[in-house]
Amino acid sequence: MTRVFSGMQPTGVLHLGNYLGAMKQFIALQEEGECYYCIVDLHALTIPRDPAELRRRTRELAGLYVAAGLDPAKATIFVQSHNPDHAEAAWLLQCVARIGELSRMTQFKDKGKDSESATSGLFTYPVLMAADILLYQTEVVPVGEDQRQHMELTRDLAERFNRQYGEVFTVPDVRIQKATARIMGLDNPEKKMSKSAPSEANYIALLEEPKSILKKFKRAVTDSGTEIRFDPEQKAGVSNLLSIYSAVSGQSIDTLVEQYQGKGYGHLKVDTAEAVIAELEPLQARYHQLMESGEIDDILAKGAKQARAATAETLAKMKEAMGLIL
Ligand code: AQP
């Protein structure tokens, strides 16, 4: 079975971009692979957080994983810090990674490059991500487009380590779903939908009320024209609506374009909103049930055990290869 690993940060609210770009792939892959899905709480620490909120968000994200369709009987669902091998392997890999390549990471450049107070964790976090992946001898990593550069670094580090110390790691492939690789912000379709966007109008949260979802779609930024066609360069807003609608309804973009000829943006916005509401309603109901039952802590405890069992051998191989006494 193909080994699959991916993770999400328990920061901010989980949004439609995370769901369509990453989570939907996680759910599909659990049917065919040996899957490890992590809540990467150590990554969240790269920026100062309120401790109580981080704990709450970590459980919330676990609940959303399961409510969205991840099945703890098919996939290992766990919290990164519950498997200490991640932090240890990250240190070993930091001694292979180079300052030059980390300085070129665009996420670091965007969030911290010119700030003296940015944490060193923010700088080295792509190495922790590489450790997360490589520890599981991962073959496939389902992510959104924004993670492509981090995945290239992960592959480079695996290859360098294997060259320098002998074959320890599988070199993983990235899996990006083209149609939903980059869901754009509703308030600015030139930029990706993002948890840290300055305005809530940017995203649809997975736990958002139907009324609010409808309102945000109605106000979604489009161009001043009237023609509905898929053209991300010239018509970023309309194309984003079509991508979202297609992903949640299962209808192809061509079918939707044909269906909305001559109908105007208003119709497309309302129908997209309704399709999103229909997709999220059962997820929200399952989420509330699950969180009330307290079941999530048992799922995470079982996941932590499975995760530790899966990484012990690779970590030992890394240490031995690098000259540490076991
Ligand atoms: N807009 C998006 N479209 C498609 N996929 C997306 N992902 C994120 N945004 C989009 C994918 O979601 C997964 C989890 O992301 P993460 O938790 O690591 O956080 P992120 O990429 O940092 O997400 P955000 O929302 O953009 O947070 P901020 O604002 O903090 O940067 C990843 O697979 C990601 O590709």
Side-chain angles (χ1 to χ4, degrees):
M1 280 224 275
T2 310
R3 277 244 176 156
V4 178
F5 178 97
S6 197
M8 291 196 187
Q9 296 194 52
T11 53
V13 289
L14 214 70
H15 55 70
L16 206 55
N18 301 130
Y19 177 70
L20 297 178
M23 192 112 84
K24 281 256 215 189
Q25 293 200 73
F26 294 6
I27 296 163
L29 283 165
Q30 71 182 349
E31 303 304 332
E32 53 186 272
E34 181 182 333
C35 298
Y36 295 87
Y37 295 128
C38 187
I39 295 143
V40 290
D41 56 347
L42 296 176
H43 288 278
L45 296 176
T46 53
I47 289 171
R49 307 269 171 207
D50 173 57
E53 191 184 333
L54 178 57
R55 268 188 285 275
R56 181 174 66 77
R57 294 263 186 217
T58 301
R59 294 182 79 254
E60 179 182 293
L61 180 51
L64 284 170
Y65 270 2
V66 178
L70 290 186
D71 180 350
K74 293 181 183 161
T76 297
I77 299 167
F78 71 104
V79 176
Q80 183 186 29
S81 64
H82 290 177
N83 181 0
D85 291 359
H86 290 246
E88 197 172 347
W91 172 255
L92 301 179
L93 274 185
Q94 273 186 55
C95 299
V96 175
R98 297 171 182 158
I99 288 177
E101 61 195 349
L102 297 185
S103 309
R104 288 190 290 275
M105 294 292 113
T106 50
Q107 285 210 3
F108 175 69
K109 287 198 213 160
D110 291 349
K111 287 185 183 166
K113 189 162 184 263
D114 297 319
S115 162
E116 278 285 306
S117 60
T119 67
S120 54
L122 187 66
F123 184 62
T124 56
Y125 120 92
V127 185
L128 176 59
M129 176 169 158
D132 297 339
I133 295 165
L134 299 178
L135 267 177
Y136 293 82
Q137 300 293 352
T138 302
E139 294 164 272
V140 169
V141 185
V143 282
E145 179 63 41
D146 59 337
Q147 295 299 326
R148 190 185 285 281
Q149 194 191 28
H150 288 157
M151 279 307 303
E152 276 162 20
L153 177 78
T154 301
R155 289 172 55 86
D156 287 349
L157 291 178
E159 282 167 0
R160 192 178 309 146
F161 189 102
N162 286 349
R163 257 197 324 273
Q164 223 164 305
Y165 294 109
E167 287 289 318
V168 169
F169 296 126
T170 304
V171 180
D173 287 321
V174 63
R175 181 169 314 189
I176 296 174
Q177 210 69 49
K178 200 166 165 258
T180 51
R182 203 168 149 80
I183 299 296
M184 310 308 273
L186 295 185
D187 62 342
N188 177 3
E190 304 293 333
K191 285 193 154 182
K192 74 160 192 158
M193 188 176 282
S194 174
K195 289 182 202 128
S196 54
S199 161
E200 287 186 10
N202 171 274
Y203 56 78
I204 299 294
L206 296 190
L207 294 175
E208 196 151 338
E209 296 273 336
K211 249 168 72 183
S212 165
I213 296 178
L214 182 61
K215 197 162 136 195
K216 284 189 185 175
F217 272 108
K218 279 186 173 169
R219 290 187 182 166
V221 171
T222 42
D223 54 88
S224 55
T226 52
E227 193 197 349
I228 293 183
R229 65 171 204 276
F230 188 73
D231 179 352
E233 294 283 311
Q234 305 293 323
K235 289 181 155 293
V238 169
S239 303
N240 192 38
L241 292 174
L242 287 167
S243 297
I244 293 172
Y245 195 179
S246 165
V248 294
S249 68
Q251 298 183 77
S252 74
I253 287 183
D254 287 348
T255 308
L256 292 174
V257 168
E258 211 172 293
Q259 202 175 310
Y260 283 89
Q261 276 324 299
K263 281 198 177 158
Y265 296 167
H267 278 96
L268 177 64
K269 288 179 176 180
V270 170
D271 292 354
T272 304
E274 280 170 2
V276 168
I277 292 167
E279 173 90 0
L280 295 185
E281 261 176 350
L283 180 155
Q284 295 180 353
R286 277 197 299 274
Y287 173 81
H288 294 301
Q289 242 175 12
L290 189 73
M291 296 317 267
E292 275 161 30
S293 74
E295 204 187 321
I296 209 68
D297 293 321
D298 297 337
I299 293 172
L300 292 179
K302 178 177 156 224
K305 260 195 209 159
Q306 288 173 345
R308 285 196 292 263
T311 57
E313 191 182 330
T314 301
L315 181 63
K317 278 190 188 165
M318 286 177 81
K319 288 174 164 176
E320 190 169 26
M322 294 179 94
L324 305 183
I325 294 175
L326 293 183

